[in-house]
């Protein structure tokens, strides 16, 4: 039986199927064949669920199939969360030269700087950008100065956060979340920070 189950091929109705999420979320990048790409792109475009779109980006970002270039360009423009933009950029880097990537990174650096002002305790996005499947991977693979500069900016903004927002989780080379604290410890630290009289919200 093909692990790319028929449940993923049932058109828009399949997305609402109770089994759909389990099938999609358990797929691995190695399971994807060229004939599966159009269906994953279709699902990405049809769904409003961020977890589905996130998963599809991670399933596809290492595949060099030519039709994915326009998909990653579309996804990069569509996504608002910086980690998902980074996953689209990881896919797009396979089809783009350094100058093209640099233009995107320069805009991303501006967006990242604004995040620090609008969402000063945005630790989730910082950790996702710092994860093994994101900027560290891109730096090791491509050695682009723009990636290094962006990673430096991410780390500087991360370091400026209060300690209560640091070291809660990371991601492995597949983008899976790895908790670094005991259950409930993260919430306790963050709540304690906001309960201080001088806490900035």
């Amino acid at each position: 039986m093909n692990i790319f189950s028929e449940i993923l091929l049932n058109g828009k109705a399949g997305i609402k199927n109770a089994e759909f999420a389990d099938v999609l979320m358990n797929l691995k990048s190695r399971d994807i064949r060229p004939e599966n790409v159009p269906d994953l792109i279709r699902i990405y475009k049809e769904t409003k669920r961020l977890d589905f779109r996130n998963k599809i980006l991670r399933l596809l970002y290492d595949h060099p199939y030519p039709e994915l270039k326009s998909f990653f360009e579309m996804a990069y423009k569509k996504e608002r969360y910086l980690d998902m933009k980074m996953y689209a950029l990881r896919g797009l880097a396979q089809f783009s030269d350094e100058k093209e990537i640099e233009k995107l990174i320069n805009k991303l650096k501006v967006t990242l700087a604004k995040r620090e002002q609008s969402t000063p305790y945005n630790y989730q996005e910082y950790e996702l950008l710092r994860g093994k499947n994101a900027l560290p991977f891109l730096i090791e693979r491509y050695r682009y100065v723009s990636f290094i500069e962006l990673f430096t900016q991410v780390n500087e903004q991360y370091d400026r956060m209060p300690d209560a927002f640091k070291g809660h989780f990371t991601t492995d080379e597949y983008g899976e979340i790895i908790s670094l604290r005991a259950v409930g410890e993260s919430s306790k630290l963050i709540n304690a920070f906001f309960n201080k009289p001088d806490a900035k919200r």
Side-chain angles (χ1 to χ4, degrees):
M1 176 181 170
N2 184 349
I3 195 168
F4 198 88
S5 169
E6 288 295 320
I7 198 171
L8 299 179
L9 308 178
N10 289 333
K12 193 167 185 176
I15 294 176
K16 299 181 180 180
N17 187 297
E19 299 175 63
F20 184 91
D22 285 339
V23 173
L24 178 63
M25 300 308 278
N26 283 306
L27 282 173
K28 307 296 183 187
S29 180
R30 64 177 177 270
D31 301 323
I32 307 304
R33 302 291 178 265
E35 61 269 23
N36 305 140
V37 171
D39 287 295
L40 286 171
I41 291 174
R42 171 185 54 79
I43 294 165
Y44 177 94
K45 291 179 177 179
E46 290 176 354
T47 187
K48 294 182 179 179
R49 287 188 54 168
L50 288 174
D51 57 339
F52 285 2
R53 298 208 309 268
N54 186 299
K55 178 67 175 183
I56 289 169
L57 287 171
R58 290 188 288 118
L59 285 172
L60 294 177
Y61 61 19
D62 286 334
H63 290 286
Y65 307 131
E67 64 268 35
L68 285 174
K69 181 178 182 182
S70 60
F71 166 71
F72 289 125
E73 288 173 338
M74 177 274 296
Y76 185 84
K77 292 176 183 177
K78 176 185 180 70
E79 297 300 346
R80 293 295 171 260
Y81 288 105
L82 299 183
D83 59 304
M84 293 173 72
K85 276 190 173 296
M86 187 57 53
Y87 300 155
L89 190 62
R90 173 168 166 171
L92 190 57
Q94 298 179 93
F95 308 99
S96 306
D97 62 29
E98 186 172 1
K99 288 186 177 179
E100 292 173 306
I101 295 297
E102 185 179 4
K103 289 178 183 178
L104 296 176
I105 292 292
N106 286 339
K107 293 180 180 179
L108 197 58
K109 287 161 69 176
V110 173
T111 301
L112 180 63
K114 291 179 180 177
R115 279 287 207 278
E116 186 173 28
Q117 302 304 314
S118 63
T119 318
Y121 310 127
N122 193 20
Y123 72 94
Q124 293 97 335
E125 278 190 315
Y126 291 136
E127 295 293 12
L128 293 169
L129 293 173
R130 288 155 44 96
K132 288 184 179 180
N133 71 319
L135 278 167
F137 172 89
L138 290 168
I139 291 169
E140 183 176 353
R141 170 68 63 88
Y142 297 102
R143 307 289 181 182
Y144 292 168
V145 171
S146 58
F147 285 140
I148 296 170
E149 289 177 348
L150 181 62
F151 193 43
T152 299
Q153 182 180 341
V154 168
N155 285 326
E156 288 174 349
Q157 292 184 203
Y158 178 86
D159 288 342
R160 285 194 287 269
M161 289 191 304
D163 289 342
F165 298 93
K166 299 174 186 175
H168 296 291
F169 71 90
T170 188
T171 58
D172 65 16
E173 60 267 34
Y174 305 107
E176 299 300 327
I177 300 292
I178 300 172
S179 179
L180 301 177
R181 297 189 184 278
V183 176
E185 186 180 357
S186 292
S187 297
K188 184 178 179 180
L189 287 169
I190 293 171
N191 288 337
F193 173 83
F194 283 121
N195 287 331
K196 292 190 300 184
D198 60 342
K200 297 180 180 179
R201 297 178 182 271

